[in-house]
């Protein structure tokens, strides 16, 4: 496991060396593993843009040339190109769960890139995200890169938190999404990449996104289209009539 020691034996931390048993490089490397993130309640963020997007004070910050030697960050980073900064944060500082008009409810999505992308999509539309057991960890390095900082603005909950009208997005079943009335509080249920949603997943409606050519859509694309259609319908409902048009209201 990587440590702070450089090839010449010096600690790679500039200024105050790490204390015995408190090696920051070892801690960051451990946070690549979900078991350690769960145990410590911490996660590591790589890169200047993601660290700048953080809405909480970090537990520790490692900056190339200021806090650590470049070799140290290169050894513990997961990105293809070593970042200039890595920061460690507490999971408890992420936004708490709150109900929003729309929710993306993810059932056993195993790809952290999809989970992060859907968090970013939810942020774009002011939605929340709920995760079932078995979902990829949204604080994993790949999910954090895909969320592009949105992890700090989107409330994350559990499958049990899902409320409103549950609309299951299916590849080859249900009514066309645009034909459904999506006004009011709604939750879009998105199933695992290969298996989809199980029959026992409680829902009020089944919906499909009509496509030509490809057999199915990527789950992250489906979530984005669903939120776009929800936003389209809610904007139509709330928009005042244009000049010269008559309102449909009595």
């Amino acid at each position: 496991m990587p440590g702070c020691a450089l090839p010449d034996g010096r600690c790679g931390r500039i200024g105050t060396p790490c204390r015995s048993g408190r090696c920051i490089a070892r801690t960051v490397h451990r946070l690549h593993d979900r078991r350690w993130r769960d145990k410590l309640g911490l996660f590591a963020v790589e890169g200047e843009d993601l660290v700048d997007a953080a809405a909480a004070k970090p537990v520790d910050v490692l900056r190339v040339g200021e806090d650590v030697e470049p070799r140290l960050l290169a050894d513990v980073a997961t990105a293809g190109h070593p970042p200039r900064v890595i920061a460690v944060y507490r999971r408890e500082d992420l936004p708490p769960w709150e109900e929003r008009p729309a929710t993306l409810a993810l059932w056993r999505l195993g790809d952290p890139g999809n989970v992060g992308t859907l968090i970013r999509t939810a942020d774009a539309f002011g939605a929340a995200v709920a995760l079932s057991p078995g979902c990829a960890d949204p604080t994993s390095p790949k999910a954090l890169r895909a969320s592009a900082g949105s992890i700090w603005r989107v409330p994350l909950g559990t499958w049990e938190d899902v409320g409103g009208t549950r609309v299951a997005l299916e590849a080859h079943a249900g009514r066309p999404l645009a034909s459904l009335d999506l006004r009011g509080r709604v939750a879009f249920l998105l199933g695992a990449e290969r298996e989809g949603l199980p029959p026992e997943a409680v829902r009020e409606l089944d919906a499909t996104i009509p496509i030509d050519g490809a057999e199915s859509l990527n789950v992250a694309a489906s979530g984005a289209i669903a939120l776009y259609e929800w936003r389209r319908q809610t904007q139509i409902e709330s928009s005042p009539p244009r000049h010269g048009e008559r309102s449909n209201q009595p």
Side-chain angles (χ1 to χ4, degrees):
M1 178 181 293
C4 290
L6 300 175
D8 61 6
R10 293 182 299 114
C11 179
R13 188 153 196 167
I14 297 171
T16 305
C18 294
R19 290 181 291 168
S20 178
R22 298 289 297 274
C23 173
I24 186 59
R26 187 172 293 114
T27 297
V28 170
H29 188 266
R30 282 173 171 166
L31 293 178
H32 297 172
D33 188 326
R34 183 171 189 166
R35 292 172 298 176
W36 278 101
R37 294 194 296 272
D38 291 343
K39 180 178 181 179
L40 300 176
L42 302 173
F43 62 98
V45 173
E46 302 180 13
E48 293 168 305
D49 290 343
L50 295 185
V51 171
D52 288 345
K57 183 178 179 180
V59 175
D60 212 332
V61 181
L62 306 177
R63 302 179 187 87
V64 169
E66 296 182 40
D67 307 295
V68 294
E69 299 286 348
R71 171 72 178 271
L72 180 62
L73 254 59
D75 286 345
V76 300
T78 62
H81 298 284
R84 294 190 55 79
V85 60
I86 294 178
V88 177
Y89 297 92
R90 297 179 180 87
R91 278 182 173 175
E92 65 185 25
D93 289 333
L94 292 172
W97 171 253
E98 66 175 15
E99 291 186 353
R100 290 192 172 177
T103 298
L104 294 179
L106 315 184
W107 178 265
R108 296 189 177 277
L109 263 63
D111 185 337
N114 282 334
V115 171
T117 299
L118 285 164
I119 290 172
R120 185 176 183 179
T121 300
D123 186 22
F125 289 94
V129 171
L131 302 109
S132 77
C135 273
D137 180 8
T139 61
S140 68
K142 185 177 179 181
L144 290 169
R145 285 194 292 272
S147 73
S150 292
I151 190 80
W152 296 102
R153 295 183 292 272
V154 175
L156 302 178
T158 68
W159 192 262
E160 288 70 30
D161 292 322
V162 177
T165 301
R166 295 186 174 208
V167 179
L169 295 177
E170 301 281 6
H172 306 292
R175 293 168 55 190
L177 180 67
S179 71
L180 301 178
D181 184 352
L182 302 176
R183 292 170 297 178
R185 195 152 58 92
V186 64
F188 296 105
L189 313 187
L190 294 155
E193 289 87 348
R194 293 181 62 86
E195 292 80 11
L197 286 165
E200 62 268 22
V202 177
R203 80 287 302 270
E204 281 73 52
L205 298 168
D206 286 307
T208 189
I209 299 171
I211 58 174
D212 295 320
E215 180 180 349
S216 63
L217 289 170
N218 171 272
V219 65
S222 297
I225 292 171
L227 284 180
Y228 178 84
E229 176 59 25
W230 166 78
R231 171 64 61 82
R232 186 189 69 82
Q233 292 191 20
T234 55
Q235 284 183 335
I236 290 174
E237 180 186 41
S238 60
S239 297
R242 297 177 183 176
H243 180 69
E245 292 181 344
R246 290 184 299 176
S247 171
N248 292 326
Q249 299 296 323

